[in-house]
Amino acid sequence: MPDLQNPRVAVYLDFDNIVMSWYDRVHGRNSYQRDRQKIAADASEPEIAERLAAATIDVGAIIDYAASFGTLVLTRAYADWSATVNAEYRSQLVARAVDLVQLFPAAAYAKNGADIRLAVDAVEDMFRLPDLTHVVIVAGDSDYVPLAQRCKRLGRFVVGVGVAGSTAKSLAAACDQFDSYDALPGVAAPPKDGKKEAEPSRRRSRKAAADPSADLLERALRLESDKEGAEWQHASAVKSLIKRLDPSFSEKALGYKSFTDFVKTHPEVAEMDESGNIVLIRLAEGRR
């Protein structure tokens, strides 16, 4: 049986599904279907390029969210990667160690193309890797309900991620936990006019461009507090999550003697409580 004390996570992204669903969320119902031919013909055409840019998926937000559940053992994304709309994401995905599974055009756009391949791989992985504890399914199609149910019967904790308004209620009900892509830390609320909002929502991570480590700290705090449902988090848990988000992170390499010293130098991001035996951290007041 999987060891829940050492969570190990497998992530499966129906990438075509999430791209199309978010495009519709940003530009209105059935927008992708109406624009499909124009996108396929010339995605660089100014009007289409602007619409695609406004509906860009935050790949990092999805993967970071999945990492908040435990160590990522494997991450796979399914799509026709020769299509321009998907090819734009290849470098981002490869940089995050995502395995790109090619679905050729005939299968990629036919009903159940990604669904069947993803489901077969997921079930095979659960038997091949018996120590998997969590399965994260990034999609909104009701065709994934049997897969979610199968994963649960095999003792895995199933997490679903889908776009609000495009996710089947039956899929959400079949998962142990289901979260909207719209609400993930780091994801901006859908723009009303096709442009990004000037002011981020409460849940959106505010980038600390001058100090990437500060941004990493903020994202980890948001993910951990969302998962635990509390403002104050154990410093050790936050550090562990940061290491999962960025294995290269080292406070000593950044010039700090300890993780608490690192946190103390970012009062604009986090505040600490060292009054007890356990050091606690939470987002600074201006970030909550």
Side-chain angles (χ1 to χ4, degrees):
M1 291 294 292
D3 179 10
L4 293 177
Q5 298 301 313
N6 297 290
R8 293 168 65 80
V9 184
V11 187
Y12 303 91
L13 299 95
D14 183 341
F15 208 77
D16 281 321
N17 178 284
I18 204 75
V19 166
M20 294 177 191
S21 296
W22 187 241
Y23 192 95
D24 286 352
R25 179 86 165 105
V26 171
H27 298 298
R29 184 180 294 274
N30 298 322
S31 292
Y32 193 91
Q33 188 63 35
R34 289 194 296 270
D35 292 346
R36 182 194 292 276
Q37 290 186 343
K38 293 181 180 179
I39 293 172
D42 185 5
S44 64
E45 191 275 324
E47 181 181 354
I48 290 299
E50 183 178 357
R51 288 170 69 80
L52 286 170
T56 299
I57 294 294
D58 188 335
V59 172
I62 296 173
I63 297 175
D64 288 351
Y65 171 75
S68 71
F69 291 95
T71 301
L72 296 185
V73 176
L74 61 88
T75 307
R76 295 200 181 108
Y78 298 75
D80 174 15
W81 299 108
S82 65
T84 304
V85 66
N86 296 325
E88 295 292 329
Y89 293 95
R90 285 186 302 192
S91 60
Q92 294 182 53
L93 291 163
V94 170
R96 296 302 298 265
V98 178
D99 182 15
L100 306 184
V101 180
Q102 173 66 32
L103 299 177
F104 292 97
Y109 298 122
K111 180 170 174 57
N112 298 330
D115 310 35
I116 294 173
R117 177 68 186 275
L118 188 156
V120 169
D121 285 353
V123 172
E124 180 180 284
D125 289 336
M126 281 186 287
F127 284 101
R128 185 173 59 87
L129 303 170
D131 59 345
L132 285 178
T133 59
H134 292 66
V135 174
V136 179
I137 302 171
V138 184
D141 198 323
S142 61
D143 288 344
Y144 289 108
V145 169
L147 173 61
Q149 294 172 331
R150 176 72 167 179
C151 293
K152 288 171 72 173
R153 286 199 298 271
L154 290 172
R156 271 61 173 199
F157 187 91
V158 182
V159 180
V161 178
V163 174
S166 299
T167 298
K169 292 183 179 179
S170 56
L171 176 59
C175 297
D176 292 295
Q177 179 174 332
F178 195 94
D179 289 289
S180 168
Y181 165 76
D182 316 40
L184 299 185
V187 176
K192 297 179 181 179
D193 59 357
K195 298 180 180 180
K196 293 296 182 181
E197 294 178 321
E199 291 296 326
S201 66
R202 182 188 64 83
R203 295 172 60 88
R204 184 182 179 187
S205 176
R206 303 171 186 177
K207 302 298 182 183
D211 187 352
S213 63
D215 177 56
L216 187 61
L217 172 62
E218 180 173 356
R219 179 163 284 194
L221 278 167
R222 289 187 184 280
L223 287 166
E224 194 68 16
S225 62
D226 280 4
K227 185 178 71 170
E228 299 298 330
E231 284 188 357
W232 290 102
Q233 303 300 323
H234 290 188
S236 58
V238 175
K239 180 179 178 179
S240 295
L241 178 51
I242 287 177
K243 291 289 289 183
R244 293 201 297 273
L245 298 180
D246 181 3
S248 68
F249 173 82
S250 168
E251 66 272 15
K252 289 182 172 57
L254 293 171
Y256 304 102
K257 292 183 178 180
S258 66
F259 182 68
T260 55
D261 286 343
F262 162 70
V263 175
K264 287 177 181 177
T265 62
H266 297 292
E268 76 288 355
V269 173
E271 55 188 67
M272 298 178 60
D273 180 357
E274 299 180 271
S275 60
N277 294 327
I278 298 174
V279 178
L280 300 175
I281 314 174
R282 71 176 178 182
L283 284 168
E285 184 176 356
R287 302 277 176 161
R288 297 200 292 272

